[in-house]
Amino acid sequence: MAELVADILVSSGIDACLDEFEPGRANVTARIKGRTDIKGLVFSAHLDTVPIGKQPWDVPPFGGVISDGRMYGRGAADMKSGLAAMIASALDVNDQRERLDGDLILAFTAGESSACLGARRLVEQNTLRGADAILVSEPTSLRLVTAEKGAMWVRAIASGQSGHVSGAASSTGRGTNAILPMVEFLAS
């Protein structure tokens, strides 16, 4: 799938990078430069699907069978439909004389069901530099989902002063419990 996507982008004049980071696992990335240096938009989709499993299929799992106006097959909705829409949009953006203000960054990854291996690779390579937002074409039953996800590590330090219940062990008397301000901080 990665090779096909890279070929489509390159044959349409988009400088795409095929990065096979493990045997049989590859990301495809590209950047369509905007006309200014404002933050860009990432189009993100995964290229792979989970295995077909042992259950019987009514249609060939990789056949892309169309019946009653619907396509059936492994990955038809998750994620080939979103991937195809993003590729078509990127080709349209690339064909326009008027560029977007910011870059359009294409980030198509492998390993979505395997600890997001391809996404980790993008982070390691700083591929998403200059991006302000990511549009993920994961199926959501045609509902727009706005989300923010990330990790933030915070080190909080609360200070206290040792004391004695009688007030005699400290020059200031009873002391200050460091736990109470930390509880207040964590609750806010």
Side-chain angles (χ1 to χ4, degrees):
M1 180 53 65
E3 290 173 353
L4 175 64
V5 169
D7 287 347
I8 290 169
L9 295 174
V10 169
S11 69
S12 299
I14 297 173
D15 187 23
C17 173
L18 176 72
D19 175 30
E20 186 172 3
F21 57 90
E22 285 186 6
R25 300 227 186 227
N27 288 341
V28 177
T29 57
R31 185 178 290 258
I32 301 171
K33 290 296 291 174
R35 57 186 178 87
T36 69
D37 289 335
I38 71 165
K39 300 286 185 175
L41 172 65
V42 176
F43 277 3
S44 173
H46 61 88
L47 298 160
D48 48 5
T49 61
V50 296
I52 60 172
K54 296 183 191 244
Q55 76 278 5
W57 282 72
D58 295 333
V59 297
F62 297 110
V65 174
I66 298 175
S67 176
D68 295 326
R70 293 181 178 213
M71 180 180 282
Y72 296 90
R74 172 55 79 208
D78 186 8
M79 180 97 208
K80 302 308 182 276
S81 59
L83 178 63
M86 288 186 157
I87 292 168
S89 296
L91 297 180
D92 189 50
V93 165
N94 194 56
D95 287 344
Q96 300 301 312
R97 277 186 26 183
E98 185 69 26
R99 290 284 179 210
L100 298 175
D101 286 343
D103 293 355
L104 177 60
I105 304 162
L106 308 179
F108 304 139
T109 59
E112 187 258 352
S113 294
S114 304
C116 294
L117 297 173
R120 288 175 187 257
R121 176 77 169 182
L122 295 181
V123 171
E124 290 168 1
Q125 294 180 320
N126 199 25
T127 303
L128 307 180
R129 75 187 180 292
D132 193 40
I134 299 177
L135 180 62
V136 181
S137 57
E138 193 74 31
T140 57
S141 300
L142 299 178
R143 291 184 332 268
L144 181 63
V145 176
T146 303
E148 186 172 325
K149 184 176 181 180
M152 180 172 79
W153 298 96
V154 176
R155 172 176 274 182
I157 299 172
S159 299
Q161 184 173 7
S162 61
H164 191 275
V165 292
S166 70
S170 167
S171 62
T172 60
R174 293 186 53 191
T176 306
N177 186 341
I179 296 173
L180 297 176
M182 184 58 71
V183 168
E184 186 176 322
F185 169 77
L186 293 174
S188 63

